[in-house]
Amino acid sequence: MIQGITIGITVLFLFQILYYTSKNKLKDRHAFTWILIAITGIITGIGIPLLNRFALWIGVSYMPSLIFLIVIVVMLSMLVHQTIQLSKQQDMIKTLAQEHAYLENEVMLLKQKSENGPDTFTHTGRQEKP
């Protein structure tokens, strides 16, 4: 009974991931990770009796606590990975903002130079005194 419920829920989860991927709400790179997690859930649902024996073999008397421990470790690892990605993106955004400001300044200087004539500004954008 519990195997059927576990497998059913993970199959629904797998279909949800495939649906979001097909609607371009979830990128393929991230969908792959979630599909692997769903397949692992299906395999876990099928192997519940083996997990009970494995838990007893390593000294865990209540198998669901072992599953929760594994899930918590996996989710924490995913959170760390997402935090690393967020940090990289923040650095990229900062660099892009700085480049944008520099280019915007260059465009402004070029506009001023074209309005006032070609020889009135130096390379730094300051007006030379004649």
Side-chain angles (χ1 to χ4, degrees), residues 2-126:
I2 190 74
Q3 282 180 310
I5 293 171
T6 304
I7 294 170
I9 289 172
T10 51
V11 167
L12 286 174
F13 177 71
L14 179 62
F15 283 134
Q16 180 185 17
I17 297 303
L18 294 175
Y19 173 77
Y20 285 144
T21 304
S22 70
K23 298 294 182 186
N24 291 325
K25 292 184 177 184
L26 184 63
K27 300 291 181 197
D28 294 338
R29 184 177 78 184
H30 301 294
F32 180 71
T33 303
W34 289 111
I35 289 171
L36 286 178
I37 289 172
I39 291 171
T40 303
I42 292 170
I43 293 170
T44 302
I46 293 170
I48 285 178
L50 292 174
L51 283 172
N52 278 325
R53 280 191 244 139
F54 177 72
L56 290 174
W57 182 70
I58 63 171
V60 177
S61 60
Y62 187 59
M63 187 268 302
S65 63
L66 176 64
I67 298 294
F68 281 123
L69 176 65
I70 292 169
V71 167
I72 288 170
V73 168
V74 168
M75 295 312 259
L76 286 174
S77 298
M78 290 179 69
L79 284 171
V80 168
H81 175 72
Q82 291 296 325
T83 304
I84 291 169
Q85 292 297 322
L86 180 65
S87 296
K88 286 180 184 178
Q89 288 179 353
Q90 285 176 338
D91 289 341
M92 289 171 47
I93 288 170
K94 180 177 121 183
T95 302
L96 285 172
Q98 290 171 344
E99 289 175 1
H100 175 73
Y102 176 78
L103 291 174
E104 196 173 64
N105 185 42
E106 288 292 316
V107 168
M108 183 188 68
L109 291 175
L110 287 172
K111 282 182 182 179
Q112 286 178 353
K113 188 175 184 180
S114 68
E115 290 171 358
N116 296 331
D119 295 330
T120 59
F121 284 86
T122 65
H123 70 283
T124 61
R126 294 192 179 108

